[in-house]
Amino acid sequence: MPPLHIIPGATSFPNPLLRHPSKTLTPKPRPLSALLQWNRKPELSGSTPRVTVITSGKGGVGKTTTTANIGLSLARLGFSVVAIDADVGLRNLDLLLGLENRVNYTVIEVLNGDCRLDQALVRDKRWSNFELLCISKPRSKLPLGFGGKALTWLVDALKARPGGSPDFILIDCPAGIDAGFITAITPANEAVLITTPDITSLRDADRVTGLLECDGIRDIKMVVNRVRTDMIKGEDMMSVLDVQEMLGLPLLGVIPEDSEVIRSTNRGYPLVLNKPPTLAGLAFEQAAWRLVEQDSMQAVVVEEQPKRGFFSFFGG
């Protein structure tokens, strides 16, 4: 019998013996490409470019880390990606990508006519189909005229550039729900909401969900970050299933707590590039796969100990 392989987003097992345990069926041989999910490229769903804002409301939950890792995962899957750091004066995406020394121009210089758009785009040397675009330089203030219309113009310019439109435009949204948040979500047609399993993050995530829906963004998926299964089993942390029931959003991914995040941040080397891959890096890759195909995962309940009740875990 061929070995079983976990396929992201799958809702059933490929082995018919597991569906009908009372029957003795001989499984038919399956082609290798059907068993090995990573041997095929995911099918891009929806019209391109997909303009996705990555937001949370609360700071420090992992928006920039998610943008960097999902963006490079998409590039590794063969899609062209432009990541926009929309945090004015407090940009960090260039640091996580290790591109801080190559940012010579920003969107402000493009709007002022000091440079061309292609000069402000920083191409990653590791994956040439990934580009970074920063709104402004550190410690600088945004002009009064900059807002949602200016960012929409920028996105339209990326769509119409001579080199071709990118498949994905990822917007790293600043924390809070002030003018920077409104500016970042204006050109987006879908959103990825980052949250952690604590009440403060969930309250802010619920508030941001309402604001996104008021702005006309209906395609909202969430990523639950910094999950610790040991604390979930000890009933010291809310489970992924509890988070999903509270927010009522489709689940794009579950990222476990990983000490490698700090190391990768300090090195400017995203987790998804690590060899061998870490658990968090694999979770980001699976989330990117689901984002491409506009898929989601299901949180399931696993009974760990009958005396202590049911505990929520996450699955694919």
Side-chain angles (χ1 to χ4, degrees):
M1 182 184 300
L4 295 179
H5 296 260
I6 298 176
I7 300 179
T11 57
S12 61
F13 292 97
N15 191 345
L17 292 177
L18 298 179
R19 298 178 185 172
H20 307 284
S22 61
K23 300 180 180 180
T24 56
L25 301 177
T26 302
K28 296 180 180 180
R30 297 168 60 90
L32 187 62
S33 60
L35 289 176
L36 299 178
Q37 179 77 354
W38 301 107
N39 274 6
R40 74 170 180 90
K41 180 180 177 180
E43 298 179 3
L44 182 59
S45 178
S47 59
T48 57
R50 299 259 301 275
V51 184
T52 305
V53 61
I54 299 178
T55 182
S56 68
K58 188 178 186 298
V61 298
K63 293 184 299 295
T64 304
T65 301
T66 301
T67 305
N69 284 279
I70 287 186
L72 276 178
S73 295
L74 294 172
R76 294 178 68 193
L77 290 172
F79 301 102
S80 57
V81 182
V82 173
I84 301 177
D85 191 339
D87 200 340
V88 179
L90 294 174
R91 77 178 197 213
N92 291 311
L93 186 56
D94 56 331
L95 291 173
L96 268 68
L97 294 168
L99 301 175
E100 66 275 9
N101 295 326
R102 298 181 54 203
V103 180
N104 298 319
Y105 298 104
T106 65
V107 173
I108 299 303
E109 281 80 20
V110 175
L111 295 177
N112 291 336
D114 298 330
C115 69
R116 301 186 309 273
L117 177 59
D118 62 303
Q119 291 178 303
L121 288 166
V122 180
R123 190 180 301 274
D124 193 290
K125 292 182 179 179
R126 297 160 295 196
W127 295 92
S128 59
N129 53 342
F130 180 89
E131 295 173 298
L132 171 67
L133 182 61
C134 297
I135 294 292
S136 66
K137 295 181 178 178
R139 298 180 299 277
S140 64
K141 294 183 179 180
L142 213 59
L144 294 177
F146 189 88
K149 292 183 178 180
L151 192 56
T152 301
W153 172 87
L154 179 66
V155 170
D156 291 339
L158 289 172
K159 295 178 182 179
R161 64 177 180 169
S165 172
D167 296 316
F168 286 90
I169 298 176
L170 304 181
I171 303 175
D172 184 17
C173 183
I177 55 174
D178 53 4
F181 168 81
I182 301 299
T183 299
I185 69 173
T186 299
N189 47 41
E190 59 183 294
V192 175
L193 186 67
I194 313 299
T195 186
T196 53
D198 60 83
I199 56 174
T200 56
S201 179
L202 291 176
R203 172 189 279 183
D204 292 351
D206 185 59
R207 173 63 174 156
V208 167
T209 301
L211 294 176
L212 291 172
E213 292 176 346
C214 290
D215 197 64
I217 301 176
R218 302 296 179 182
D219 187 1
I220 307 172
K221 294 182 177 66
M222 71 172 178
V223 170
V224 184
N225 194 20
R226 304 184 66 178
V227 174
R228 292 183 55 179
T229 55
D230 58 333
M231 294 186 67
I232 293 175
K233 293 175 183 178
E235 298 183 339
D236 295 320
M237 175 181 284
M238 278 185 289
S239 66
V240 177
L241 185 61
D242 293 335
V243 173
Q244 191 173 21
E245 289 177 349
M246 291 180 65
L247 296 180
L249 297 174
L251 190 60
L252 184 67
V254 177
I255 314 299
E257 182 75 50
D258 196 337
S259 60
E260 283 294 325
V261 173
I262 298 178
R263 295 189 183 97
S264 67
T265 300
N266 292 334
R267 291 185 301 158
Y269 198 80
L271 284 172
V272 294
L273 301 180
N274 281 4
K275 293 181 180 180
T278 64
L279 288 177
L282 289 173
F284 279 123
E285 288 184 346
Q286 293 173 356
W289 189 287
R290 298 185 190 101
L291 182 65
V292 171
E293 298 191 338
Q294 293 184 333
D295 197 4
S296 61
M297 63 184 291
Q298 292 292 328
V300 297
V301 176
V302 177
E303 187 178 3
E304 296 289 347
Q305 297 177 2
K307 293 182 180 180
R308 300 188 64 185
F310 287 86
F311 294 91
S312 171
F313 200 56
F314 54 88

